[in-house]
């Protein structure tokens, strides 16, 4: 029997468990506060931000919604980040990516106070993650670690193959899985667009994390029996639905399921965990910022 890993259920557990930490903060008169900054009129980005705002409201995190005209000069975004860095009521800052083409992403990431960088993308936080002393683990790979833990998959000694080397998923995932720490200790191979003979690599894996952004590119023939498959991909493909599209992952779910011991669905796998771990990092940031010791799930 293949286990279908229920990301919604695990994310709900994490949200519930964050309640204790939020109660501890409230007892010290601290309301954890996340500022989301949107400089885009892309409907997908707008949806992501509004979902994050809703998630905050559900668990008792205050969400500040900052919107900047996508045609405004980059300086306007910089000034807003400076203002939020200086605002003592703000614990976490998230700038929704992508920013418009005329705004350089790297200076934006570097400008956010690393203590408020709940995405974990500031170079200081990336460095700390690599050094094995993470302040805020990036939400998607951290969520994947929690999913593996929830289904009793210990990466220790396992061969993990990650397909994708992006700064937000592939690279931090590789780092977390290779760390000499609980939830790590795997032997990690990172594959990407220039990888030769991907199928030979994925077939040798005990754990496959697919994060390439290519619809259903990994099918059952590329996997071995008993593999654990984590599908990060969220791809819109044309379909005869009301919206005219459907969401599929980077894994061909039906054929992969025939081989896998456990597999995440899309939607309902990794996505809800990414959202839950943003709340986790915000609560952690509020504890650090206000010098309140909180116990995190
Ligand atoms: P990205 O485009 O930044 O990176 C994709 C990576 O995949 C690159 O490193 C590239 O080298 C590699 N790649 C592309 N084609 C490949 C191929 N044919 N074979 C091997 N490697 C290939 O994407 P990203 O931001 O890392 O996101 C990846 C996917 O995950 C997207 O579908 C994205 O929407 C999704 N995503 C989901 C969540 C979530 O919460 N579920 C979070 C972030 C990203």
């Amino acid at each position: 029997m293949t286990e279908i890993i229920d990301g919604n259920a695990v994310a709900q557990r994490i949200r519930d468990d964050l309640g204790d930490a939020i109660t501890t903060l409230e007892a010290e008169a601290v309301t954890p506060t996340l500022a989301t900054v949107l400089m885009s009129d892309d409907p997908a980005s707008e949806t992501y931000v509004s979902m994050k705002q809703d998630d905050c409201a559900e668990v008792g995190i205050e969400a500040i919604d900052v919107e900047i005209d996508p045609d405004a000069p980059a300086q306007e975004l910089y000034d807003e980040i400076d203002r939020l860095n200086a605002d003592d009521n703000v614990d976490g800052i998230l700038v929704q990516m992508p920013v418009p083409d005329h705004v350089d992403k790297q200076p934006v990431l570097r400008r956010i106070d690393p203590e408020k960088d709940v995405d974990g993308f500031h170079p200081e936080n990336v460095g700390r993650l690599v050094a094995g002393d993470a302040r805020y683990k990036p939400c998607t790979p951290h969520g994947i670690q929690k999913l593996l833990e929830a289904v009793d998959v210990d990466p220790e000694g396992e061969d993990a193959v990650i397909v994708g080397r992006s700064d937000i998923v592939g690279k931090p995932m590789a780092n977390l899985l290779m760390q000499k720490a609980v939830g790590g200790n795997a032997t990690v191979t990172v594959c990407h667009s220039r990888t030769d003979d991907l199928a030979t690599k994925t077939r040798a894996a005990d754990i496959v994390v697919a994060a390439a952004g290519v619809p259903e590119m990994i099918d059952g023939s590329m996997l071995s029996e008993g593999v654990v498959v984590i599908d990060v991909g969220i791809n819109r493909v044309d379909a005869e639905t009301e919206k005219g599209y459907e969401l599929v992952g980077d894994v061909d779910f039906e054929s992969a399921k025939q081989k896998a011991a456990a597999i995440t669905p899309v939607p309902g796998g990794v996505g809800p965990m990414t959202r839950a771990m943003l709340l986790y990092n915000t609560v952690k940031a509020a504890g650090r910022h206000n010098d309140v010791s909180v116990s995190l799930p």
Side-chain angles (χ1 to χ4, degrees):
M1 273 293 283
T2 306
E3 178 166 12
I4 311 298
I5 305 172
D6 186 346
N8 284 314
V10 181
Q12 185 59 51
R13 244 180 2 248
I14 289 184
R15 282 196 296 271
D16 291 345
D17 291 348
L18 280 175
D20 288 345
I22 292 170
T23 307
T24 305
L25 287 163
E26 278 167 350
E28 300 291 331
V30 173
T31 305
T33 301
L34 173 71
T36 59
V37 183
L38 176 66
M39 189 177 187
S40 168
D41 47 19
D42 170 48
S45 291
E46 287 172 349
T47 305
Y48 287 140
V49 167
S50 85
M51 290 192 313
K52 288 166 188 174
Q53 298 259 334
D54 293 348
D55 289 344
C56 286
E58 187 193 319
V59 298
I61 292 174
E62 188 178 332
I64 298 174
D65 182 14
V66 178
E67 290 185 18
I68 299 174
D69 183 341
D71 295 324
Q75 190 61 43
E76 216 168 291
L77 176 59
Y78 297 158
D79 290 347
E80 193 55 51
I81 293 171
D82 292 347
R83 195 185 63 74
L84 294 168
N85 282 340
D87 186 339
D88 203 39
N89 288 320
V90 172
D91 301 302
I93 302 170
L94 177 144
V95 177
Q96 183 65 41
M97 295 293 161
V99 283
D101 289 345
H102 68 280
V103 180
D104 243 358
K105 180 175 131 188
Q106 289 305 331
V108 172
L109 299 181
R110 282 199 296 271
R111 204 160 189 112
I112 298 171
D113 178 347
E115 277 292 345
K116 298 190 178 189
D117 168 40
V118 285
D119 260 337
F121 297 156
H122 187 288
E124 183 180 314
N125 286 326
V126 175
R128 287 185 62 149
L129 176 81
V130 174
D133 180 29
R135 182 189 275 138
Y136 304 118
K137 295 181 183 176
C139 300
T140 301
H142 192 192
I144 291 169
Q145 261 192 331
K146 294 283 183 192
L147 275 183
L148 293 173
E149 187 190 322
V151 293
D152 290 326
V153 173
D154 184 352
E156 179 166 335
E158 301 288 284
D159 289 316
V161 169
I162 299 163
V163 185
R165 58 177 164 187
S166 71
D167 292 340
I168 65 167
V169 189
K171 282 185 203 161
M173 185 79 261
N175 264 299
L176 286 177
L177 288 175
M178 76 165 83
Q179 289 298 331
K180 190 173 181 181
V182 175
N185 291 314
T187 304
V188 178
T189 304
V190 181
C191 300
H192 47 76
S193 52
R194 310 285 174 90
T195 294
D196 193 24
D197 195 6
L198 178 66
T200 299
K201 272 95 178 164
T202 51
R203 256 184 238 122
D206 303 304
I207 301 170
V208 171
V209 179
V214 180
E216 299 178 324
M217 63 171 281
I218 295 170
D219 66 21
S221 73
M222 298 170 72
L223 302 167
S224 55
E225 289 287 343
V227 65
V228 173
V229 179
I230 304 293
D231 190 353
V232 186
I234 304 177
N235 308 292
R236 274 188 188 189
V237 295
D238 293 341
E240 286 176 9
T241 61
E242 206 174 299
K243 292 180 174 161
Y245 67 85
E246 64 179 353
L247 294 181
V248 300
D250 289 353
V251 175
D252 174 43
F253 185 80
E254 287 309 322
S255 65
K257 198 175 75 169
Q258 306 303 317
K259 293 283 186 67
I263 184 168
T264 58
V266 176
V270 175
M273 294 302 295
T274 298
R275 291 166 58 183
M277 301 323 288
L278 174 64
L279 305 176
Y280 177 106
N281 279 350
T282 302
V283 172
K284 185 174 187 185
R288 291 175 65 94
H289 179 196
N290 297 285
D291 222 2
V292 178
S293 163
V294 291
S295 119
L296 293 160

